[in-house]
Amino acid sequence: RAKKLGVVATNINDATGDSDAPRIVSNQPFLRKFWNFLVDMDALGLLIFAAGWACFLVNGAYTTWNSPSIIAMLVCGGVILLAFIPYEAYVAKIPVFPLAFFRNPTILFPAFIGFFDFVSSYLQYTYQYSFIFVTKDWSTVDQNYFAYTQTLSLTVFGILTGFVQAYTRRTKWLLTIGLCIRLLGVGLMIKSKGAHGTTGFLVICQVLQSLGGGIAACSSQLLAQGSNAVGSALAAAIWRDHMPKQLAQNLHGLLNSTEIDSIYSSITTAVTYRSDEAVYDGIITSYDYTMKILLIVTRVWSIGTRLYSPTSSSS
């Protein structure tokens, strides 16, 4: 059979059939092997899938949603992703997303949960460091400690959740509890993210989010790979839509447009105005308002995650 397939094992011991380092040599031409490789990895399907998401996510050069270019990209992205479905169903020999996956709720629901969870996470996480850098007079070390609080806690709680799953052999109730805790953490952050929130409250909210997120992530292994980028892209769109307007409104009469633009473009420029109380208060108010918008959207996405929790399906 190996000879018919064009595959020959070249260093098998004839007497024992053993080999210290098996080497498989194909007699097929290079172009044939390369073509089979592309078919096996569904290269065209991956290209279509990536192109569709790229049209949605690569919008950093545009400043408003009503730009003709960004509208065209969003429309093209939607059409390309819709075309991806029949391609995978009827054209691809080895589809990267077999339709059987979409008929299996045990796979489909965790995918939606992972997607919504990661989007909600990156909606508030993308500009969190900028917010803390400007609004809190912390040392660089403390800022970095805070920035990595969620990542470290996610890892710790994720490992602990793995042990619980290994012992109980159950995951549905863990997933439901994790999503509820994460939703609570995001809700509390709407208050704690205020510019004058206490350090302890900020850290507790980070830990709560990490506790819920670590449990949920370990309970839904099939996560949508593009969801981080979706959350970051949405956060960027909201940030550049609201932040310039807020700075212009709150710093009107205090700074000229060039100075306001420099504050928007650089967090290090923003903190140089700490000695000017009136200007700095306007900057704080702008950051506070924009972060609350991000957190409200984050909470909506978190509710969407909770709705997809398979509380009525088998684990």
Side-chain angles (χ1 to χ4, degrees), residues 174-192:
L174 273 174
L175 175 59
T176 303
I177 291 173
L179 294 176
C180 289
I181 295 174
R182 174 150 171 70
L183 184 60
L184 173 64
V186 173
L188 291 175
M189 282 181 67
I190 294 177
K191 179 180 179 180
S192 71

Side-chain angles (χ1 to χ4, degrees), residues 20 24 33 59 72 109 129-130 145 147 149 162 188-190 216 234 244 246 251 257 264 272 274:
D20 294 332
I24 303 300
K33 289 191 292 184
N59 54 32
F109 283 116
Y129 185 84
S130 298
Y145 282 156
T149 296
L188 291 175
M189 282 181 67
I190 294 177
L234 286 175
Q246 286 298 307
L251 299 179
S257 59
Y264 168 71
T272 60
R274 280 179 174 154

